[in-house]
Amino acid sequence: MAFVVSSGSLATTGAGVTQGWAAPRLAAAPWEYATIWRRQPQVRTVIGFLARNIAQLGVHTFRRISDTDRERLLDHPMAVLLGSPLPGMTHFRFIERMVTDIALYDRWTGIKIKHNGQLRILPVPPSLIHPHGGNWIAPEYFETAGGREFGPDEVVYIHGYSPSDLVGGESPIEALRELLLEAHESAKNRAAMWKGGARTTGVIVRPADAPEWTPSDKRRFREMWRGFTDGGGAEGGTPILEDGMDYKPVGFNPEQAQYIESRKLTREEVSAAYYIPPPLIGILDHATYSNIKEQHAHLYQDTLGPWLAMLEQELIAQVLPDLDDTTGVYVEFNVEAKMRGDFESQAAAASTATGGPWMTRNEIRGRNNLPRVEGGDELIVPMNVTAGGLASPRDTAPDTSGAPKARPRLRTKSARPDDLGTEAGQRDALETSLVRWTEQKTDALRAAAGAKDAAMPDLLALWAAGSEDRIAQLTAMLADYGFRLAQLGAWDVLDVWNPDAVDWSADVMFAWILAAAETHAEQHEEAGRKAVAAVQEAGGEQWREGLAAAGAGWATLAAARATTAATEARSFGGHDAAGASGLTVKVWRTGGTNPRPSHKALDGEQVGIDDVFGNGLRWPGDGAGETEELVNCKCSLDYAKEG
């Protein structure tokens, strides 16, 4: 392979700047794309998002030893090259420029050089180098702006798709050209509007039948008004309007000028051209915590995945053959580091995967900057892992056929409380309380919206102001009722199989009940927010009636939420007591006057105590299931020691 040889200076490639030189194969002059990137904030935002997120990933070099074994190569020439593409250039800047050029021009070119005996790659801006000659399959050579020519084997040339040949790609900017031009002209028009029309904030209207002013009257009023308006009225005071005068505002505000909507539309179109979900680049109109989390997880799979695969294959195809020792060598972006969960999730997965604890006490103490302790280098393995037949210390006890389960938590005897009431009574009380609470919060929002004849305020802002308090109140209410319903469900099982409540305590259920209550509270809060958002979006003079209707709908949802939460709490309590009592199977019993078909089909289905039913639920109302399987469910479970 051919190289440009240099002993220190990188300027010998001839890639100098010549004003007016342009790549003839580009659909537009290269400086036009550069101008778009500099002046169009939406283009810069989207391309910068791609480049920064890919550049932050390390590119690791591996050797494939077998289908099940590979070795990471730290000193391989490819690893050295990617770690330092040029003296003084970091891996981040190298990949950032590569991705930015491809996203903007749909092409990237780097010149291979030998610097002090090692292969290096000099990235050249697309405006300074272009393919020349050859045919539709491959160029004959590459020419720089300084007139220097390089053979195809002396450069790394990455490009996208073109419908006309295999030599170059077509920039996505071409597909966005009309939209970007429209956005540019709109921005110029808005700037002119604000410059000319926005200076006059209002006019003073004097009735036609008002007495005529003398020159001294006009001068007196003009001086009074100027004295008030100079400095924006910052010094205080109140202007006095005479003879029935009226002040009428004029001009435009940002909402009337549709400034925000226009910019948002442009960003959405640009993000669509680069296949990026809008919430990832700051368009949060329809974003929630759950879908933001999912989209972040999909970022490195669906959005950046094709980019990473393309870059990996291009580096292997165009750079690796110029290096020594290429057998089984390949490169891969370190996506795994971004796909890992938080520390708790990683620890749980590692514990399960290894079948036992995987860190010593001194290793943990070292991570927390604590000194070592004597005997802290021994790996402690719980007895339930070595003697209980479990795959992981996170598992519960083994699935036995007769003996009660051994559960890794403290159990004490517990007598059934006398003040739990009945299940029907607790269900009705929860529904009444939740519906009343929902109606009160709707009334509070309507009161905060202002007088009857007032214009519609920012309802979502008023709603957001009380969100945290509402969730806290809801969580407390649902946890209170849920704990009593869970105990009622538990005692339905204990009365039959374990009347003395051996190995069972209600206290161990409270943490789970509290977490479930918080989930239901957040879901009910989100339902209310969506109802308010619909009223805000509809607008109009009848917004108060719309807000009342939205509150009524939210109250209806509250009744359904109460039924769902009650079923879940009661079912969980029964399941908890069944596990403590050594029961091994559970049977689905369809309940309610009009059960959904999927639940009706489950009636009588029997599974193991730790298994799930045909609809994927562990028990009726299981919060881990799909929403359509949970709402208004009134089913129950029966338990037994054997099938």
Side-chain angles (χ1 to χ4, degrees):
M1 306 298 286
F3 301 98
V4 177
V5 180
S6 170
S7 297
S9 174
L10 302 181
T12 58
T13 58
V17 178
T18 301
Q19 286 293 334
W21 184 89
R25 287 191 44 76
L26 291 174
W31 48 81
E32 183 176 340
Y33 290 135
T35 300
I36 289 175
W37 181 83
R38 291 189 181 101
R39 296 185 178 180
Q40 289 286 345
Q42 318 305 351
V43 172
R44 185 161 185 166
T45 296
V46 172
I47 293 180
F49 175 86
L50 284 172
R52 291 167 62 248
N53 278 280
I54 295 176
Q56 70 172 326
L57 299 174
V59 183
H60 294 172
T61 304
F62 298 94
R63 187 191 307 278
R64 191 182 308 279
I65 300 175
S66 68
D67 290 341
T68 59
D69 191 13
R70 67 177 185 172
E71 173 191 7
R72 181 172 176 192
L73 307 175
L74 300 177
D75 298 327
H76 190 275
M78 178 64 97
V80 175
L81 169 63
L82 294 176
S84 180
L86 282 178
M89 176 175 284
T90 64
H91 165 82
F92 184 97
R93 293 303 179 193
F94 180 74
I95 298 297
E96 180 188 40
R97 173 170 287 277
M98 179 185 294
V99 175
T100 301
D101 284 348
I102 296 174
L104 187 60
Y105 298 92
D106 206 24
R107 63 179 61 196
W108 177 85
T109 308
I111 298 176
K112 301 174 184 176
I113 65 174
K114 277 294 183 89
H115 183 261
N116 295 331
Q118 290 184 327
L119 175 63
R120 293 288 186 263
I121 298 179
L122 171 66
V124 183
S127 59
L128 302 181
I129 190 170
H130 68 91
H132 188 79
N135 51 39
W136 63 273
I137 298 177
E140 180 181 356
Y141 61 89
F142 290 79
E143 182 180 359
T144 66
R148 183 75 179 272
E149 297 180 1
F150 298 92
D153 57 350
E154 294 179 300
V155 301
V156 180
Y157 182 50
I158 303 175
H159 63 83
Y161 171 79
S162 172
S164 57
D165 56 43
L166 305 182
V167 179
E170 302 288 346
S171 172
I173 299 299
E174 288 302 316
L176 297 169
R177 179 178 295 277
E178 296 299 327
L179 176 68
L180 296 175
L181 178 61
E182 178 184 350
H184 177 66
E185 294 300 326
S186 297
K188 290 171 57 179
N189 183 62
R190 284 192 298 270
M193 178 191 68
W194 288 113
K195 183 178 181 180
R199 291 180 177 178
T200 304
T201 60
V203 296
I204 299 176
V205 179
R206 192 165 181 260
D209 56 353
E212 183 177 357
W213 275 357
T214 65
S216 60
D217 292 332
K218 293 181 180 179
R219 183 171 56 256
R220 174 182 52 78
F221 181 80
R222 185 185 305 113
E223 291 175 354
M224 181 277 296
W225 189 257
R226 285 179 177 174
F228 171 75
T229 57
D230 284 350
E235 296 181 359
T238 301
I240 300 176
L241 301 181
E242 306 174 5
D243 302 331
M245 293 179 179
D246 186 21
Y247 179 81
K248 294 186 176 181
V250 297
F252 297 91
N253 56 38
E255 181 180 359
Q256 294 169 329
Q258 295 185 331
Y259 176 70
I260 297 175
E261 289 77 5
S262 175
R263 296 192 59 166
K264 188 183 300 180
L265 174 62
T266 305
R267 181 174 293 189
E268 288 179 347
E269 293 292 341
V270 175
S271 67
Y274 287 93
Y275 311 103
I276 299 176
L280 294 178
I281 55 171
I283 302 176
L284 305 177
D285 293 6
H286 304 289
T288 64
Y289 174 79
S290 59
N291 65 26
I292 283 290
K293 188 175 181 180
E294 286 300 315
Q295 287 174 1
H296 184 268
H298 293 164
L299 169 63
Y300 293 95
Q301 298 174 353
D302 303 326
T303 302
L304 302 185
W307 277 87
L308 303 181
M310 179 267 292
L311 295 177
E312 290 168 357
Q313 294 175 20
E314 294 286 357
L315 291 173
I316 293 173
Q318 299 194 50
V319 178
L320 188 61
D322 296 325
L323 304 174
D324 299 330
D325 185 19
T326 61
T327 304
V329 176
Y330 65 97
V331 298
E332 190 175 272
F333 280 90
N334 186 27
V335 181
E336 181 185 358
K338 289 295 180 181
M339 297 300 293
R340 294 172 183 168
D342 53 25
F343 177 77
E344 291 80 3
S345 301
Q346 294 181 47
S351 173
T352 300
T354 57
W358 52 287
M359 295 188 72
T360 66
R361 286 171 291 171
N362 279 338
E363 287 173 333
I364 294 296
R365 292 178 66 84
R367 286 194 174 189
N368 289 277
N369 299 318
L370 296 174
R372 300 171 63 85
V373 296
E374 188 69 23
D377 293 325
E378 297 179 3
L379 193 64
I380 299 176
V381 181
M383 287 298 295
N384 69 326
V385 176
T386 59
L390 302 184
S392 164
R394 297 185 56 79
D395 290 348
T396 55
D399 189 9
T400 61
S401 59
K405 284 197 170 185
R407 310 181 75 192
R409 60 187 186 187
L410 180 62
R411 300 293 186 182
T412 59
K413 286 190 176 183
S414 174
R416 178 169 186 157
D418 297 327
D419 58 347
L420 290 179
T422 64
E423 180 179 334
Q426 293 298 333
R427 280 179 174 274
D428 292 341
L430 172 57
E431 179 177 341
T432 301
S433 298
L434 186 54
V435 170
R436 183 185 301 117
W437 180 92
T438 302
E439 292 172 344
Q440 290 173 351
K441 297 308 174 185
T442 301
D443 292 340
L445 179 64
R446 295 172 65 186
K452 183 177 181 180
D453 57 347
M456 182 177 68
D458 189 343
L459 297 176
L460 285 175
L462 294 176
W463 176 268
S467 180
E468 292 184 2
D469 290 339
R470 286 192 298 271
I471 291 177
Q473 294 171 14
L474 267 177
T475 300
M477 178 195 303
L478 292 169
D480 181 49
Y481 284 104
F483 189 50
R484 278 176 275 174
L485 283 161
Q487 293 180 73
L488 287 167
W491 278 105
D492 286 344
V493 176
L494 294 171
D495 285 340
V496 177
W497 297 99
N498 188 9
D500 294 330
V502 177
D503 255 355
W504 181 85
S505 172
D507 294 339
V508 298
M509 298 191 301
F510 187 74
W512 189 96
I513 292 295
L514 185 61
E518 185 175 7
T519 298
H520 282 292
E522 291 173 348
Q523 292 173 348
H524 191 55
E525 171 73 6
E526 177 62 13
R529 188 198 67 79
K530 288 181 178 179
V532 173
V535 177
Q536 183 83 62
E537 184 176 357
E541 298 180 356
Q542 304 299 320
W543 64 271
R544 282 191 167 275
E545 290 76 3
L547 192 59
W554 193 32
T556 301
L557 293 177
R561 174 70 57 186
T563 299
T564 303
T567 298
E568 181 183 31
R570 181 257 295 159
S571 299
F572 169 76
H575 198 275
D576 187 81
S581 301
L583 305 182
T584 58
V585 296
K586 54 191 176 186
V587 183
W588 188 283
R589 299 301 183 193
T590 302
T593 56
N594 188 25
R596 54 178 55 85
S598 61
H599 287 195
K600 189 174 182 180
L602 286 175
D603 191 30
E605 181 176 337
Q606 176 178 299
V607 299
I609 189 74
D610 291 327
D611 296 329
V612 298
F613 291 93
N615 59 357
L617 303 185
R618 295 168 293 179
W619 51 72
D622 184 4
E626 298 293 335
T627 302
E628 57 268 23
E629 290 293 323
L630 309 179
V631 178
N632 270 330
C633 176
K634 296 181 180 179
C635 300
S636 60
L637 297 181
D638 287 340
Y639 294 90
K641 286 191 176 181
E642 57 185 13

